[in-house]
């Protein structure tokens, strides 16, 4: 099942403005001022009344105003997008077997277990073959769940969602095309053949500008044309073995991908609007502030990095581009460095970034974009140096058990809770105590007296260890370990503390 919010940014922005519900509306960095017809600000999202007049996402406001003079421009509201996205994912998680996050307003949902349970209750499973009656009942159950999800999403967020249902991720996504706006569509494998025949190659997932241009050279624009005019061997020769095979399978409606939430592979930022330098000193000041921002993201998301990549854009034109302060047509540059140890602080990041940028030997006035990307990511471990002490975790973890989650992103488009069971409740990882409770009571197996007996020497040892470990342990990481590993790690840490104490006494 593919769930996609309708015109998300616009829908969120006009929830409290019913007078705009039927008018053409777009979200962009602009106002409805007198000079708006000359604006080169790009439209991030537009509603269906605006699309009916030819307005599209990515279009300049000036061009959009010529098509729809009554187009209303509203500003971004990122706090509301974040809040609405969190409500969306809470609803999906509570009403499904598994959720794969795609973006802040889009996700794939698996209901296989739920549907199977319902069919077993109705004595339709197990069976030797899929009968017409069984197929019809599977469609009915999934439709019921989809409509329930859409009602809950609308009730909680005030925004509409469309749902596509099919047998794999590709077909579910394609089904959503027919579901929009504000609808639900079930696409069977039998019906998918005709729909794919006329589907644009550009609408397939993973197909970008380069593949589209290559297909255009073969006079191919749809999946049906590709299957008729291009062989699999030609696709693999021109696009690569893996990409060619994937495109061939997609055009046949085949997709063996399973739902998953991948661990983050890179973290960083890139700026290619408003970049105008005149001196090297301005670039150094900018890079310092840019490094502060990127390292703050790295630190707050609890990652470490061993690889740094700096990218830059050099203008290939005279004067200014059509978009005000845009980057225009540029040549891309990139320099990287692999570190021996994980990045220690923002000063180290700044030194490497400045060095890599200088290697590009760019004239300051030619620079139109800068990016900093950190790779080779690793979650920060339980042991920390005193310089990185987070003693507040002792207090924060006191009555807050860890919730089992598989989340891997930290921005609005991906910082969402990820799949849990339909009836899952927040629980401590490993089925054991929270780390703060562990330190209050010690390992259950080691106690010779009840946990509430303050005279226990074992308990006193673990209670007193709180202060000793304050500068050494990151409880958030330690608490996320499985119970046996966590308790073994704690015993090791306490053993080290006892050894240090003995050395002090001698």
């Amino acid at each position: 099942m593919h769930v996609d919010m309708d015109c998300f940014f616009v829908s969120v922005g006009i929830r409290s403005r019913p007078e705009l519900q039927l008018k053409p509306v777009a979200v962009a960095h602009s106002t409805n001022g007198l000079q708006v017809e000359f604006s080169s600000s790009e439209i991030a999202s537009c509603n269906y009344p605006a699309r009916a007049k030819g307005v599209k996402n990515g279009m300049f406001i000036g061009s959009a105003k010529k098509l729809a003079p009554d187009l209303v421009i509203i500003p971004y509201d990122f706090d509301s997008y974040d809040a609405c996205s969190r409500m969306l994912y809470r609803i999906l998680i509570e009403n499904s077997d598994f959720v794969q996050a795609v973006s802040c307003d889009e996700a794939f949902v698996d209901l296989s277990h739920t549907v199977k349970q319902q069919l077993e209750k109705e004595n339709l499973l197990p069976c030797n073959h899929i009968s017409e009656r069984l197929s019809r009942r599977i469609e009915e159950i999934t439709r019921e769940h989809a409509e329930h999800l859409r009602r809950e999403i609308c009730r909680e967020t005030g925004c509409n969602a469309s749902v596509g249902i099919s047998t794999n991720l590709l077909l579910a996504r394609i089904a959503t095309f027919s579901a929009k706006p504000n609808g639900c569509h079930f696409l069977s494998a039998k019906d998918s053949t005709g729909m794919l025949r006329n589907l644009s190659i550009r609408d397939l997932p993973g197909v970008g500008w380069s593949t589209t241009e290559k297909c255009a050279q073969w006079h191919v624009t749809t999946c049906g044309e590709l299957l008729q005019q291009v062989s699999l061997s030609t696709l693999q020769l021109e696009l690569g073995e893996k990409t060619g095979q994937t495109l061939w399978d997609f055009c046949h409606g085949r997709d063996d991908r399973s739902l998953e939430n991948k661990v983050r592979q890179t973290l960083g930022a890139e700026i290619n609007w408003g970049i105008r330098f005149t001196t090297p000193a301005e670039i150094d000041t900018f890079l310092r502030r840019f490094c502060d921002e990127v390292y703050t993201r790295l630190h707050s998301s609890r990652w470490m990095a061993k690889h740094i990549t700096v990218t830059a854009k050099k203008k290939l034109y005279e004067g200014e581009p059509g978009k005000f302060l845009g980057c225009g047509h540029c040549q891309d540059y990139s320099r990287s460095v692999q570190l021996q140890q994980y990045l220690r602080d923002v000063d180290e990041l700044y030194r490497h970034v400045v060095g890599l940028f200088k290697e590009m030997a760019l004239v300051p006035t030619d620079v139109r974009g800068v990016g900093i990307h950190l790779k080779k990511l690793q979650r920060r471990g339980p042991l920390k140096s005193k310089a990185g002490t987070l003693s507040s975790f002792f207090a924060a973890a006191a009555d807050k058990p860890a919730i089992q989650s598989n989340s891997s992103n930290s921005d609005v488009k991906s910082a969402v809770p990820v799949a849990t069971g339909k009836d899952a409740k927040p629980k401590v990882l490993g089925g054991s105590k929270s780390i703060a409770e562990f330190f209050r009571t010690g390992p259950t197996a080691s106690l010779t007296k009840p946990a509430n007996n303050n005279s226990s020497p074992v308990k006193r040892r673990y209670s007193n260890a709180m202060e000793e470990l304050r500068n050494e342990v990151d409880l958030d990481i330690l608490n996320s370990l499985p119970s046996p590993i966590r308790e073994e790690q704690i015993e090791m840490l306490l053993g080290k503390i006892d050894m240090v104490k003995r050395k002090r006494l001698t």
Side-chain angles (χ1 to χ4, degrees), residues 376-428:
K376 303 289 184 182
L377 301 180
Q378 176 67 43
R379 282 291 185 187
R380 294 211 301 270
L383 289 180
K384 296 175 60 67
S385 66
K386 290 188 178 182
T389 296
L390 295 175
S391 58
S392 59
F393 276 107
F394 282 89
D399 297 301
K400 183 180 178 181
I403 297 177
Q404 195 165 16
S405 173
N406 196 25
S407 180
S408 60
N409 295 322
S410 60
D411 56 11
V412 172
K413 280 192 172 291
S414 52
V416 291
V418 193
T420 60
K422 181 178 180 181
D423 298 319
K425 304 296 184 204
K427 59 184 179 182
V428 178

Side-chain angles (χ1 to χ4, degrees), residues 164-175:
I165 310 167
S166 193
T167 54
N168 60 43
L169 299 184
L170 170 68
L171 296 182
R173 186 173 182 268
I174 293 174

Side-chain angles (χ1 to χ4, degrees), residues 37-75:
E37 65 270 19
F38 304 110
S39 173
S40 63
S41 179
E42 295 175 355
I43 290 175
S45 176
C46 59
N47 62 0
Y48 285 97
R51 297 181 189 186
K53 296 188 175 185
V55 179
K56 297 179 181 179
N57 294 346
M59 183 179 286
F60 287 170
I61 289 181
S63 302
K65 276 287 189 178
K66 294 177 182 178
L67 297 171
D70 58 340
L71 180 67
V72 179
I73 307 298
I74 61 175

Side-chain angles (χ1 to χ4, degrees), residues 281-436:
E282 291 178 353
I283 294 180
D284 287 344
T285 300
F286 172 84
L287 291 178
R288 178 76 222 196
R289 294 173 61 187
F290 201 5
C291 287
D292 288 342
E293 169 63 24
V294 172
Y295 190 80
T296 297
R297 295 185 184 187
L298 178 73
H299 186 75
S300 62
S301 58
R302 312 196 63 72
W303 289 103
M304 301 183 295
K306 254 188 179 181
H307 189 278
I308 303 171
T309 297
V310 176
T311 61
K313 290 182 177 292
K314 176 185 177 182
K315 70 170 187 174
L316 297 177
Y317 54 87
E318 295 296 329
E320 286 294 325
K323 179 176 174 59
F324 178 66
L325 292 181
C327 64
H329 181 46
C330 294
Q331 180 178 351
D332 293 325
Y333 288 77
S334 177
R335 294 291 186 276
S336 300
V337 61
Q338 176 75 36
L339 307 181
Q340 294 298 317
Q341 303 292 332
Y342 286 107
L343 197 61
R344 292 185 293 271
D345 52 43
V346 67
D347 292 331
E348 182 184 5
L349 174 62
Y350 172 69
R351 289 194 299 271
H352 285 297
V353 167
V354 168
L356 293 171
F357 192 88
K358 288 182 177 179
E359 288 181 15
M360 302 179 197
L362 299 175
V363 177
T365 53
D366 287 344
V367 179
R368 288 295 180 267
V370 181
I372 301 175
H373 304 277
L374 305 179
K375 303 176 183 178
K376 303 289 184 182
L377 301 180
Q378 176 67 43
R379 282 291 185 187
R380 294 211 301 270
L383 289 180
K384 296 175 60 67
S385 66
K386 290 188 178 182
T389 296
L390 295 175
S391 58
S392 59
F393 276 107
F394 282 89
D399 297 301
K400 183 180 178 181
I403 297 177
Q404 195 165 16
S405 173
N406 196 25
S407 180
S408 60
N409 295 322
S410 60
D411 56 11
V412 172
K413 280 192 172 291
S414 52
V416 291
V418 193
T420 60
K422 181 178 180 181
D423 298 319
K425 304 296 184 204
K427 59 184 179 182
V428 178
L429 286 173
S432 182
K433 312 176 180 90
S434 70
I435 189 66

